[in-house]
Amino acid sequence: MTLTLDRRPAADLQRSERIAVIDIGSNSIRLVVYDGLHRAPVPLFNEKIMCGLGRTVEKTGRLNPDGVTLALDNIARFGRLIDGMDVSRTDVLATAAVRDAADGAEFVEAVKSRTGLTVRTIAGEEEARLSAMGVLSGTPGADGLVGDLGGGSLELVGLERGAIGPQVTMPLGPLRLVESCGGKTAAAARNIDQHLQALPWLSAHKGRPFYPVGGSWRALAKLHMEQVNHPLHVIHHYTVGGAQLRDFAGEISRLNRSALDKISGVSKRRSDTLPLAALALERLLTIVEPSEVVFSAFGLREGLLFDMLDAQEQREDPLISACAGLARRIGRFGQGEIITNWTASLFAGEDEASARLRRASCLLSDLGWSEHPDYRAEHAYMRILRMPFAGVDHGERAFLALVAYARYGGRIEDPQVAVARGLVQEGRAAKAAILGLALRLAQTLTGGVAALLQRTSLSIDEEALVLCVPEDARVLVGDTVQRRLDAVAKGLNRRGEIVIAPPR
């Protein structure tokens, strides 16, 4: 099978043209197809196969033969899928296993011969840089240390308020450690410490956040969520105290295969390498002593796409970009930005972070219009709470979900939204309710039609929340609008008042 693929430069791609990335790692191979090259690309297809290409590299210097067969078969399958998905550009990246194996170039040629796909084997430093770019794409302004653990290598990158600093790649992936240390914990710990202690620049990152990337460390995050009963199983921006996660990783590193198999949520394919992945994390956290560990669901693949954007696009807010894109796809009248301005008077003096969340909520205010009326609040709440947004932590995500729930008539005190209430800061749930009720008022008043909403306004004084409607639009006002206004006013400890403005 030979594919004819358009390998158009990133600058020539239209925002709506699909782009695919195949990531050939030491342990797994993954294909992700994105909806386009822009600030908040949406994965349309995501599939992984565990091949274990790098399982024999440390001992034999060559790729695992069984893994090569499995990899070629599945890359051929991925190629056929890409060919049918109307993809405009495909990037195939190979990392540590192919980079370090004596027959890596032979494998690259086999992929080209069988599929027509060109594999780019990237250097360790480039892998580290792209992983850091991925973290920055999902957590703008990240400041601290990035660690990307693959099957064959560990990349570390320093970040200085969003700028990439020193970087290094080390042969400390769990597949390598299994071979080099015979799976013995003490020997592996000495090996890890020897590499880490040779990095004098690590001391500059003590007491700062650490951002883990990679499947094995994400598996540890899931286990920790289970242990502490964290109510939201979303990996991105799951945050744990540095000392707490160090101790947890140490516990996991001492478990054997049979003990791990008894723990719910551990993949059978990961259970043989997970203790060594935990050991690498435990040794690193012991040396770096981070203030907190902030898991990132964004890594090499997202970093590759982020790196293709121009500087202006990279500076865009990923949350706002994602919400605006979603509003364009599913909204009816494109009123999000107008509602943002319309609600501003209710939140005078809000800080920049609060204004940002209010803007995101307004962009999402028409999210549930096509759902069954009886379930709109619940559907909108659950969708936003679990949506793969970037640039948002769990508390902010919960705030957005509560706003959507109130916007569709749900009550913030309802048991259905207890998870989100428990994640937001004290007092934020009440603000979410007020904003949600204001969005409900806006939609009721004008049906979401932006041109009508722009002709009305909200203002607040010491006693009343005033809705001003022009004389020629007074037909919009009725009992339902008054009730919606009163609900917002009650949250502000005021009465609701409708004023009909004389014609200009």
Side-chain angles (χ1 to χ4, degrees), residues 361 364-368 376-385 397-410 412 417 432-433 435-437 439-440:
S361 294
L364 296 173
S365 62
D366 211 22
L367 182 73
R376 283 176 183 161
E378 181 181 349
H379 279 243
Y381 165 78
M382 293 302 295
R383 188 171 184 185
I384 292 174
L385 190 64
R397 178 187 296 275
F399 178 85
L400 296 176
L402 288 173
V403 172
Y405 189 72
R407 177 262 178 271
Y408 285 107
I412 297 299
V417 295
L435 178 55
L437 290 169
L439 298 181
R440 188 167 173 80

PDB file of all heavy atoms in Angstrom, residues 361 364-368 376-385 397-410 412 417 432-433 435-437 439-440:
ATOM      1  N   SER A 361     -17.919  31.388  29.885  1.00  0.00           N
ATOM      2  CA  SER A 361     -19.289  30.965  30.179  1.00  0.00           C
ATOM      3  C   SER A 361     -20.270  31.548  29.177  1.00  0.00           C
ATOM      4  O   SER A 361     -21.215  30.869  28.743  1.00  0.00           O
ATOM      5  CB  SER A 361     -19.682  31.392  31.594  1.00  0.00           C
ATOM      6  OG  SER A 361     -18.914  30.714  32.560  1.00  0.00           O
ATOM      7  N   LEU A 364     -20.243  29.744  25.976  1.00  0.00           N
ATOM      8  CA  LEU A 364     -20.854  28.420  26.083  1.00  0.00           C
ATOM      9  C   LEU A 364     -22.344  28.491  26.427  1.00  0.00           C
ATOM     10  O   LEU A 364     -22.964  27.447  26.655  1.00  0.00           O
ATOM     11  CB  LEU A 364     -20.130  27.608  27.158  1.00  0.00           C
ATOM     12  CG  LEU A 364     -18.653  27.285  26.889  1.00  0.00           C
ATOM     13  CD1 LEU A 364     -18.027  26.626  28.115  1.00  0.00           C
ATOM     14  CD2 LEU A 364     -18.494  26.402  25.674  1.00  0.00           C
ATOM     15  N   SER A 365     -22.912  29.680  26.453  1.00  0.00           N
ATOM     16  CA  SER A 365     -24.264  29.839  26.997  1.00  0.00           C
ATOM     17  C   SER A 365     -25.357  29.193  26.156  1.00  0.00           C
ATOM     18  O   SER A 365     -26.469  29.008  26.636  1.00  0.00           O
ATOM     19  CB  SER A 365     -24.582  31.334  27.177  1.00  0.00           C
ATOM     20  OG  SER A 365     -24.565  32.010  25.924  1.00  0.00           O
ATOM     21  N   ASP A 366     -25.047  28.832  24.910  1.00  0.00           N
ATOM     22  CA  ASP A 366     -26.064  28.197  24.055  1.00  0.00           C
ATOM     23  C   ASP A 366     -25.747  26.718  23.821  1.00  0.00           C
ATOM     24  O   ASP A 366     -26.273  26.096  22.897  1.00  0.00           O
ATOM     25  CB  ASP A 366     -26.142  28.924  22.713  1.00  0.00           C
ATOM     26  CG  ASP A 366     -27.544  28.874  22.105  1.00  0.00           C
ATOM     27  OD1 ASP A 366     -28.505  28.660  22.850  1.00  0.00           O
ATOM     28  OD2 ASP A 366     -27.669  29.065  20.886  1.00  0.00           O
ATOM     29  N   LEU A 367     -24.907  26.169  24.684  1.00  0.00           N
ATOM     30  CA  LEU A 367     -24.403  24.804  24.495  1.00  0.00           C
ATOM     31  C   LEU A 367     -25.500  23.750  24.436  1.00  0.00           C
ATOM     32  O   LEU A 367     -25.425  22.799  23.662  1.00  0.00           O
ATOM     33  CB  LEU A 367     -23.428  24.458  25.631  1.00  0.00           C
ATOM     34  CG  LEU A 367     -22.756  23.094  25.582  1.00  0.00           C
ATOM     35  CD1 LEU A 367     -21.708  23.056  24.492  1.00  0.00           C
ATOM     36  CD2 LEU A 367     -22.124  22.764  26.934  1.00  0.00           C
ATOM     37  N   GLY A 368     -26.548  23.908  25.244  1.00  0.00           N
ATOM     38  CA  GLY A 368     -27.526  22.836  25.382  1.00  0.00           C
ATOM     39  C   GLY A 368     -28.823  23.034  24.631  1.00  0.00           C
ATOM     40  O   GLY A 368     -29.793  22.318  24.889  1.00  0.00           O
ATOM     41  N   ARG A 376     -31.556  19.592  29.735  1.00  0.00           N
ATOM     42  CA  ARG A 376     -30.541  20.531  29.254  1.00  0.00           C
ATOM     43  C   ARG A 376     -29.545  20.909  30.344  1.00  0.00           C
ATOM     44  O   ARG A 376     -28.340  20.956  30.103  1.00  0.00           O
ATOM     45  CB  ARG A 376     -31.229  21.790  28.710  1.00  0.00           C
ATOM     46  CG  ARG A 376     -31.826  21.581  27.331  1.00  0.00           C
ATOM     47  CD  ARG A 376     -32.589  22.791  26.852  1.00  0.00           C
ATOM     48  NE  ARG A 376     -33.213  22.516  25.559  1.00  0.00           N
ATOM     49  CZ  ARG A 376     -34.216  23.204  25.046  1.00  0.00           C
ATOM     50  NH1 ARG A 376     -34.708  24.238  25.735  1.00  0.00           N
ATOM     51  NH2 ARG A 376     -34.717  22.890  23.879  1.00  0.00           N
ATOM     52  N   ALA A 377     -30.045  21.197  31.530  1.00  0.00           N
ATOM     53  CA  ALA A 377     -29.149  21.605  32.618  1.00  0.00           C
ATOM     54  C   ALA A 377     -28.144  20.501  32.934  1.00  0.00           C
ATOM     55  O   ALA A 377     -26.934  20.749  33.047  1.00  0.00           O
ATOM     56  CB  ALA A 377     -29.959  21.951  33.868  1.00  0.00           C
ATOM     57  N   GLU A 378     -28.636  19.285  33.059  1.00  0.00           N
ATOM     58  CA  GLU A 378     -27.766  18.160  33.402  1.00  0.00           C
ATOM     59  C   GLU A 378     -26.756  17.883  32.296  1.00  0.00           C
ATOM     60  O   GLU A 378     -25.562  17.667  32.554  1.00  0.00           O
ATOM     61  CB  GLU A 378     -28.626  16.924  33.652  1.00  0.00           C
ATOM     62  CG  GLU A 378     -27.833  15.688  34.043  1.00  0.00           C
ATOM     63  CD  GLU A 378     -28.747  14.488  34.259  1.00  0.00           C
ATOM     64  OE1 GLU A 378     -29.980  14.661  34.303  1.00  0.00           O
ATOM     65  OE2 GLU A 378     -28.211  13.375  34.385  1.00  0.00           O
ATOM     66  N   HIS A 379     -27.212  17.896  31.024  1.00  0.00           N
ATOM     67  CA  HIS A 379     -26.314  17.603  29.910  1.00  0.00           C
ATOM     68  C   HIS A 379     -25.227  18.671  29.779  1.00  0.00           C
ATOM     69  O   HIS A 379     -24.053  18.354  29.561  1.00  0.00           O
ATOM     70  CB  HIS A 379     -27.115  17.495  28.611  1.00  0.00           C
ATOM     71  CG  HIS A 379     -27.775  16.170  28.422  1.00  0.00           C
ATOM     72  ND1 HIS A 379     -27.473  15.321  27.383  1.00  0.00           N
ATOM     73  CD2 HIS A 379     -28.707  15.518  29.150  1.00  0.00           C
ATOM     74  CE1 HIS A 379     -28.200  14.224  27.468  1.00  0.00           C
ATOM     75  NE2 HIS A 379     -28.975  14.326  28.547  1.00  0.00           N
ATOM     76  N   ALA A 380     -25.616  19.935  29.857  1.00  0.00           N
ATOM     77  CA  ALA A 380     -24.642  21.018  29.726  1.00  0.00           C
ATOM     78  C   ALA A 380     -23.617  20.960  30.862  1.00  0.00           C
ATOM     79  O   ALA A 380     -22.418  21.147  30.637  1.00  0.00           O
ATOM     80  CB  ALA A 380     -25.356  22.371  29.717  1.00  0.00           C
ATOM     81  N   TYR A 381     -24.102  20.698  32.065  1.00  0.00           N
ATOM     82  CA  TYR A 381     -23.216  20.594  33.234  1.00  0.00           C
ATOM     83  C   TYR A 381     -22.186  19.482  33.047  1.00  0.00           C
ATOM     84  O   TYR A 381     -20.969  19.702  33.212  1.00  0.00           O
ATOM     85  CB  TYR A 381     -24.065  20.338  34.481  1.00  0.00           C
ATOM     86  CG  TYR A 381     -23.293  19.867  35.686  1.00  0.00           C
ATOM     87  CD1 TYR A 381     -22.563  20.769  36.469  1.00  0.00           C
ATOM     88  CD2 TYR A 381     -23.289  18.520  36.057  1.00  0.00           C
ATOM     89  CE1 TYR A 381     -21.859  20.341  37.575  1.00  0.00           C
ATOM     90  CE2 TYR A 381     -22.584  18.090  37.172  1.00  0.00           C
ATOM     91  CZ  TYR A 381     -21.869  18.987  37.925  1.00  0.00           C
ATOM     92  OH  TYR A 381     -21.167  18.564  39.018  1.00  0.00           O
ATOM     93  N   MET A 382     -22.647  18.278  32.701  1.00  0.00           N
ATOM     94  CA  MET A 382     -21.738  17.142  32.581  1.00  0.00           C
ATOM     95  C   MET A 382     -20.776  17.325  31.417  1.00  0.00           C
ATOM     96  O   MET A 382     -19.596  16.963  31.505  1.00  0.00           O
ATOM     97  CB  MET A 382     -22.539  15.854  32.400  1.00  0.00           C
ATOM     98  CG  MET A 382     -23.359  15.465  33.614  1.00  0.00           C
ATOM     99  SD  MET A 382     -22.348  15.241  35.111  1.00  0.00           S
ATOM    100  CE  MET A 382     -21.356  13.836  34.637  1.00  0.00           C
ATOM    101  N   ARG A 383     -21.259  17.891  30.330  1.00  0.00           N
ATOM    102  CA  ARG A 383     -20.396  18.059  29.167  1.00  0.00           C
ATOM    103  C   ARG A 383     -19.244  19.015  29.467  1.00  0.00           C
ATOM    104  O   ARG A 383     -18.092  18.742  29.124  1.00  0.00           O
ATOM    105  CB  ARG A 383     -21.213  18.575  27.988  1.00  0.00           C
ATOM    106  CG  ARG A 383     -20.432  18.605  26.690  1.00  0.00           C
ATOM    107  CD  ARG A 383     -21.313  18.904  25.504  1.00  0.00           C
ATOM    108  NE  ARG A 383     -20.544  18.833  24.280  1.00  0.00           N
ATOM    109  CZ  ARG A 383     -21.014  19.138  23.084  1.00  0.00           C
ATOM    110  NH1 ARG A 383     -22.282  19.507  22.954  1.00  0.00           N
ATOM    111  NH2 ARG A 383     -20.259  19.056  22.008  1.00  0.00           N
ATOM    112  N   ILE A 384     -19.560  20.128  30.100  1.00  0.00           N
ATOM    113  CA  ILE A 384     -18.508  21.104  30.397  1.00  0.00           C
ATOM    114  C   ILE A 384     -17.566  20.585  31.477  1.00  0.00           C
ATOM    115  O   ILE A 384     -16.346  20.779  31.400  1.00  0.00           O
ATOM    116  CB  ILE A 384     -19.137  22.446  30.809  1.00  0.00           C
ATOM    117  CG1 ILE A 384     -19.836  23.068  29.593  1.00  0.00           C
ATOM    118  CG2 ILE A 384     -18.086  23.401  31.370  1.00  0.00           C
ATOM    119  CD1 ILE A 384     -20.605  24.325  29.897  1.00  0.00           C
ATOM    120  N   LEU A 385     -18.102  19.905  32.477  1.00  0.00           N
ATOM    121  CA  LEU A 385     -17.258  19.404  33.565  1.00  0.00           C
ATOM    122  C   LEU A 385     -16.205  18.435  33.044  1.00  0.00           C
ATOM    123  O   LEU A 385     -15.085  18.382  33.568  1.00  0.00           O
ATOM    124  CB  LEU A 385     -18.134  18.712  34.614  1.00  0.00           C
ATOM    125  CG  LEU A 385     -17.460  18.341  35.934  1.00  0.00           C
ATOM    126  CD1 LEU A 385     -17.011  19.586  36.689  1.00  0.00           C
ATOM    127  CD2 LEU A 385     -18.410  17.514  36.803  1.00  0.00           C
ATOM    128  N   ARG A 397     -12.921  24.734  35.856  1.00  0.00           N
ATOM    129  CA  ARG A 397     -13.801  23.869  35.062  1.00  0.00           C
ATOM    130  C   ARG A 397     -15.139  23.677  35.776  1.00  0.00           C
ATOM    131  O   ARG A 397     -16.213  23.725  35.164  1.00  0.00           O
ATOM    132  CB  ARG A 397     -13.100  22.529  34.864  1.00  0.00           C
ATOM    133  CG  ARG A 397     -13.874  21.490  34.101  1.00  0.00           C
ATOM    134  CD  ARG A 397     -13.113  20.159  34.150  1.00  0.00           C
ATOM    135  NE  ARG A 397     -11.838  20.280  33.484  1.00  0.00           N
ATOM    136  CZ  ARG A 397     -11.657  20.140  32.177  1.00  0.00           C
ATOM    137  NH1 ARG A 397     -12.707  19.878  31.404  1.00  0.00           N
ATOM    138  NH2 ARG A 397     -10.462  20.244  31.643  1.00  0.00           N
ATOM    139  N   ALA A 398     -15.081  23.464  37.075  1.00  0.00           N
ATOM    140  CA  ALA A 398     -16.301  23.278  37.862  1.00  0.00           C
ATOM    141  C   ALA A 398     -17.153  24.545  37.855  1.00  0.00           C
ATOM    142  O   ALA A 398     -18.389  24.484  37.789  1.00  0.00           O
ATOM    143  CB  ALA A 398     -15.944  22.886  39.298  1.00  0.00           C
ATOM    144  N   PHE A 399     -16.509  25.704  37.925  1.00  0.00           N
ATOM    145  CA  PHE A 399     -17.243  26.971  37.870  1.00  0.00           C
ATOM    146  C   PHE A 399     -18.015  27.080  36.558  1.00  0.00           C
ATOM    147  O   PHE A 399     -19.207  27.432  36.541  1.00  0.00           O
ATOM    148  CB  PHE A 399     -16.273  28.141  38.021  1.00  0.00           C
ATOM    149  CG  PHE A 399     -16.919  29.500  37.920  1.00  0.00           C
ATOM    150  CD1 PHE A 399     -17.499  30.102  39.024  1.00  0.00           C
ATOM    151  CD2 PHE A 399     -16.965  30.171  36.701  1.00  0.00           C
ATOM    152  CE1 PHE A 399     -18.113  31.345  38.923  1.00  0.00           C
ATOM    153  CE2 PHE A 399     -17.566  31.413  36.586  1.00  0.00           C
ATOM    154  CZ  PHE A 399     -18.144  32.001  37.706  1.00  0.00           C
ATOM    155  N   LEU A 400     -17.362  26.787  35.437  1.00  0.00           N
ATOM    156  CA  LEU A 400     -18.025  26.856  34.134  1.00  0.00           C
ATOM    157  C   LEU A 400     -19.219  25.906  34.077  1.00  0.00           C
ATOM    158  O   LEU A 400     -20.272  26.240  33.518  1.00  0.00           O
ATOM    159  CB  LEU A 400     -17.036  26.516  33.019  1.00  0.00           C
ATOM    160  CG  LEU A 400     -15.844  27.459  32.827  1.00  0.00           C
ATOM    161  CD1 LEU A 400     -14.916  26.914  31.747  1.00  0.00           C
ATOM    162  CD2 LEU A 400     -16.306  28.859  32.473  1.00  0.00           C
ATOM    163  N   ALA A 401     -19.058  24.719  34.658  1.00  0.00           N
ATOM    164  CA  ALA A 401     -20.144  23.737  34.652  1.00  0.00           C
ATOM    165  C   ALA A 401     -21.326  24.218  35.484  1.00  0.00           C
ATOM    166  O   ALA A 401     -22.492  24.035  35.101  1.00  0.00           O
ATOM    167  CB  ALA A 401     -19.634  22.396  35.166  1.00  0.00           C
ATOM    168  N   LEU A 402     -21.060  24.840  36.622  1.00  0.00           N
ATOM    169  CA  LEU A 402     -22.137  25.352  37.474  1.00  0.00           C
ATOM    170  C   LEU A 402     -22.890  26.488  36.790  1.00  0.00           C
ATOM    171  O   LEU A 402     -24.115  26.590  36.901  1.00  0.00           O
ATOM    172  CB  LEU A 402     -21.565  25.830  38.814  1.00  0.00           C
ATOM    173  CG  LEU A 402     -21.105  24.742  39.780  1.00  0.00           C
ATOM    174  CD1 LEU A 402     -20.411  25.366  40.990  1.00  0.00           C
ATOM    175  CD2 LEU A 402     -22.275  23.876  40.226  1.00  0.00           C
ATOM    176  N   VAL A 403     -22.166  27.345  36.093  1.00  0.00           N
ATOM    177  CA  VAL A 403     -22.825  28.424  35.355  1.00  0.00           C
ATOM    178  C   VAL A 403     -23.797  27.837  34.337  1.00  0.00           C
ATOM    179  O   VAL A 403     -24.955  28.276  34.221  1.00  0.00           O
ATOM    180  CB  VAL A 403     -21.786  29.320  34.645  1.00  0.00           C
ATOM    181  CG1 VAL A 403     -22.491  30.313  33.716  1.00  0.00           C
ATOM    182  CG2 VAL A 403     -20.942  30.076  35.658  1.00  0.00           C
ATOM    183  N   ALA A 404     -23.344  26.839  33.583  1.00  0.00           N
ATOM    184  CA  ALA A 404     -24.198  26.220  32.563  1.00  0.00           C
ATOM    185  C   ALA A 404     -25.419  25.565  33.197  1.00  0.00           C
ATOM    186  O   ALA A 404     -26.526  25.622  32.648  1.00  0.00           O
ATOM    187  CB  ALA A 404     -23.398  25.195  31.768  1.00  0.00           C
ATOM    188  N   TYR A 405     -25.233  24.952  34.360  1.00  0.00           N
ATOM    189  CA  TYR A 405     -26.351  24.298  35.047  1.00  0.00           C
ATOM    190  C   TYR A 405     -27.411  25.328  35.447  1.00  0.00           C
ATOM    191  O   TYR A 405     -28.615  25.124  35.233  1.00  0.00           O
ATOM    192  CB  TYR A 405     -25.822  23.565  36.273  1.00  0.00           C
ATOM    193  CG  TYR A 405     -26.827  22.675  36.948  1.00  0.00           C
ATOM    194  CD1 TYR A 405     -27.234  21.474  36.357  1.00  0.00           C
ATOM    195  CD2 TYR A 405     -27.373  23.007  38.184  1.00  0.00           C
ATOM    196  CE1 TYR A 405     -28.152  20.643  36.974  1.00  0.00           C
ATOM    197  CE2 TYR A 405     -28.296  22.180  38.814  1.00  0.00           C
ATOM    198  CZ  TYR A 405     -28.674  20.999  38.199  1.00  0.00           C
ATOM    199  OH  TYR A 405     -29.596  20.171  38.810  1.00  0.00           O
ATOM    200  N   ALA A 406     -26.969  26.455  35.994  1.00  0.00           N
ATOM    201  CA  ALA A 406     -27.911  27.509  36.383  1.00  0.00           C
ATOM    202  C   ALA A 406     -28.543  28.164  35.157  1.00  0.00           C
ATOM    203  O   ALA A 406     -29.716  28.536  35.185  1.00  0.00           O
ATOM    204  CB  ALA A 406     -27.199  28.555  37.227  1.00  0.00           C
ATOM    205  N   ARG A 407     -27.766  28.298  34.095  1.00  0.00           N
ATOM    206  CA  ARG A 407     -28.305  28.930  32.880  1.00  0.00           C
ATOM    207  C   ARG A 407     -29.510  28.159  32.334  1.00  0.00           C
ATOM    208  O   ARG A 407     -30.436  28.730  31.772  1.00  0.00           O
ATOM    209  CB  ARG A 407     -27.190  29.004  31.824  1.00  0.00           C
ATOM    210  CG  ARG A 407     -27.632  29.591  30.469  1.00  0.00           C
ATOM    211  CD  ARG A 407     -27.931  28.464  29.497  1.00  0.00           C
ATOM    212  NE  ARG A 407     -28.398  28.911  28.207  1.00  0.00           N
ATOM    213  CZ  ARG A 407     -29.649  29.128  27.876  1.00  0.00           C
ATOM    214  NH1 ARG A 407     -30.620  29.006  28.786  1.00  0.00           N
ATOM    215  NH2 ARG A 407     -29.995  29.455  26.654  1.00  0.00           N
ATOM    216  N   TYR A 408     -29.510  26.819  32.521  1.00  0.00           N
ATOM    217  CA  TYR A 408     -30.625  26.013  32.036  1.00  0.00           C
ATOM    218  C   TYR A 408     -31.628  25.650  33.123  1.00  0.00           C
ATOM    219  O   TYR A 408     -32.384  24.698  32.993  1.00  0.00           O
ATOM    220  CB  TYR A 408     -30.090  24.755  31.343  1.00  0.00           C
ATOM    221  CG  TYR A 408     -29.521  25.063  29.977  1.00  0.00           C
ATOM    222  CD1 TYR A 408     -28.154  25.046  29.758  1.00  0.00           C
ATOM    223  CD2 TYR A 408     -30.358  25.413  28.931  1.00  0.00           C
ATOM    224  CE1 TYR A 408     -27.640  25.358  28.510  1.00  0.00           C
ATOM    225  CE2 TYR A 408     -29.851  25.726  27.680  1.00  0.00           C
ATOM    226  CZ  TYR A 408     -28.483  25.698  27.469  1.00  0.00           C
ATOM    227  OH  TYR A 408     -27.980  26.015  26.228  1.00  0.00           O
ATOM    228  N   GLY A 409     -31.631  26.428  34.191  1.00  0.00           N
ATOM    229  CA  GLY A 409     -32.683  26.295  35.187  1.00  0.00           C
ATOM    230  C   GLY A 409     -32.362  25.420  36.374  1.00  0.00           C
ATOM    231  O   GLY A 409     -33.214  25.227  37.249  1.00  0.00           O
ATOM    232  N   GLY A 410     -31.146  24.872  36.436  1.00  0.00           N
ATOM    233  CA  GLY A 410     -30.772  24.059  37.588  1.00  0.00           C
ATOM    234  C   GLY A 410     -30.460  24.919  38.797  1.00  0.00           C
ATOM    235  O   GLY A 410     -30.065  26.087  38.674  1.00  0.00           O
ATOM    236  N   ILE A 412     -28.127  25.569  42.098  1.00  0.00           N
ATOM    237  CA  ILE A 412     -26.759  25.269  42.500  1.00  0.00           C
ATOM    238  C   ILE A 412     -26.710  24.327  43.702  1.00  0.00           C
ATOM    239  O   ILE A 412     -25.752  23.575  43.885  1.00  0.00           O
ATOM    240  CB  ILE A 412     -25.985  26.577  42.809  1.00  0.00           C
ATOM    241  CG1 ILE A 412     -25.884  27.424  41.547  1.00  0.00           C
ATOM    242  CG2 ILE A 412     -24.599  26.292  43.347  1.00  0.00           C
ATOM    243  CD1 ILE A 412     -25.156  26.770  40.400  1.00  0.00           C
ATOM    244  N   VAL A 417     -25.072  18.435  41.326  1.00  0.00           N
ATOM    245  CA  VAL A 417     -23.873  19.230  41.042  1.00  0.00           C
ATOM    246  C   VAL A 417     -22.964  19.329  42.272  1.00  0.00           C
ATOM    247  O   VAL A 417     -22.153  20.244  42.377  1.00  0.00           O
ATOM    248  CB  VAL A 417     -24.248  20.637  40.526  1.00  0.00           C
ATOM    249  CG1 VAL A 417     -24.947  20.531  39.186  1.00  0.00           C
ATOM    250  CG2 VAL A 417     -25.131  21.382  41.528  1.00  0.00           C
ATOM    251  N   ALA A 432     -21.382  31.809  40.339  1.00  0.00           N
ATOM    252  CA  ALA A 432     -21.747  30.991  39.171  1.00  0.00           C
ATOM    253  C   ALA A 432     -23.257  31.008  38.971  1.00  0.00           C
ATOM    254  O   ALA A 432     -23.751  31.085  37.832  1.00  0.00           O
ATOM    255  CB  ALA A 432     -21.236  29.566  39.347  1.00  0.00           C
ATOM    256  N   ALA A 433     -23.999  30.945  40.069  1.00  0.00           N
ATOM    257  CA  ALA A 433     -25.464  30.962  39.977  1.00  0.00           C
ATOM    258  C   ALA A 433     -25.960  32.283  39.399  1.00  0.00           C
ATOM    259  O   ALA A 433     -26.842  32.308  38.530  1.00  0.00           O
ATOM    260  CB  ALA A 433     -26.070  30.722  41.356  1.00  0.00           C
ATOM    261  N   LEU A 435     -24.341  34.424  37.473  1.00  0.00           N
ATOM    262  CA  LEU A 435     -23.998  34.519  36.064  1.00  0.00           C
ATOM    263  C   LEU A 435     -24.891  33.603  35.223  1.00  0.00           C
ATOM    264  O   LEU A 435     -25.382  34.003  34.157  1.00  0.00           O
ATOM    265  CB  LEU A 435     -22.524  34.157  35.858  1.00  0.00           C
ATOM    266  CG  LEU A 435     -22.009  34.169  34.416  1.00  0.00           C
ATOM    267  CD1 LEU A 435     -22.282  35.520  33.747  1.00  0.00           C
ATOM    268  CD2 LEU A 435     -20.512  33.848  34.383  1.00  0.00           C
ATOM    269  N   GLY A 436     -25.130  32.388  35.705  1.00  0.00           N
ATOM    270  CA  GLY A 436     -26.000  31.473  34.974  1.00  0.00           C
ATOM    271  C   GLY A 436     -27.409  32.010  34.822  1.00  0.00           C
ATOM    272  O   GLY A 436     -28.023  31.911  33.746  1.00  0.00           O
ATOM    273  N   LEU A 437     -27.933  32.616  35.878  1.00  0.00           N
ATOM    274  CA  LEU A 437     -29.276  33.199  35.817  1.00  0.00           C
ATOM    275  C   LEU A 437     -29.321  34.401  34.883  1.00  0.00           C
ATOM    276  O   LEU A 437     -30.322  34.640  34.200  1.00  0.00           O
ATOM    277  CB  LEU A 437     -29.733  33.597  37.223  1.00  0.00           C
ATOM    278  CG  LEU A 437     -30.027  32.429  38.170  1.00  0.00           C
ATOM    279  CD1 LEU A 437     -30.213  32.932  39.602  1.00  0.00           C
ATOM    280  CD2 LEU A 437     -31.269  31.666  37.713  1.00  0.00           C
ATOM    281  N   LEU A 439     -27.455  34.733  32.204  1.00  0.00           N
ATOM    282  CA  LEU A 439     -27.455  34.162  30.854  1.00  0.00           C
ATOM    283  C   LEU A 439     -28.838  33.644  30.492  1.00  0.00           C
ATOM    284  O   LEU A 439     -29.290  33.781  29.344  1.00  0.00           O
ATOM    285  CB  LEU A 439     -26.424  33.025  30.776  1.00  0.00           C
ATOM    286  CG  LEU A 439     -24.967  33.396  31.027  1.00  0.00           C
ATOM    287  CD1 LEU A 439     -24.068  32.179  30.894  1.00  0.00           C
ATOM    288  CD2 LEU A 439     -24.506  34.487  30.072  1.00  0.00           C
ATOM    289  N   ARG A 440     -29.514  33.074  31.459  1.00  0.00           N
ATOM    290  CA  ARG A 440     -30.880  32.591  31.233  1.00  0.00           C
ATOM    291  C   ARG A 440     -31.811  33.762  30.902  1.00  0.00           C
ATOM    292  O   ARG A 440     -32.671  33.679  30.023  1.00  0.00           O
ATOM    293  CB  ARG A 440     -31.357  31.847  32.481  1.00  0.00           C
ATOM    294  CG  ARG A 440     -32.703  31.122  32.332  1.00  0.00           C
ATOM    295  CD  ARG A 440     -32.878  30.180  33.516  1.00  0.00           C
ATOM    296  NE  ARG A 440     -34.191  29.571  33.563  1.00  0.00           N
ATOM    297  CZ  ARG A 440     -34.559  28.522  32.823  1.00  0.00           C
ATOM    298  NH1 ARG A 440     -33.706  27.996  31.961  1.00  0.00           N
ATOM    299  NH2 ARG A 440     -35.776  28.004  32.934  1.00  0.00           N
TER     300      ARG A 440
END
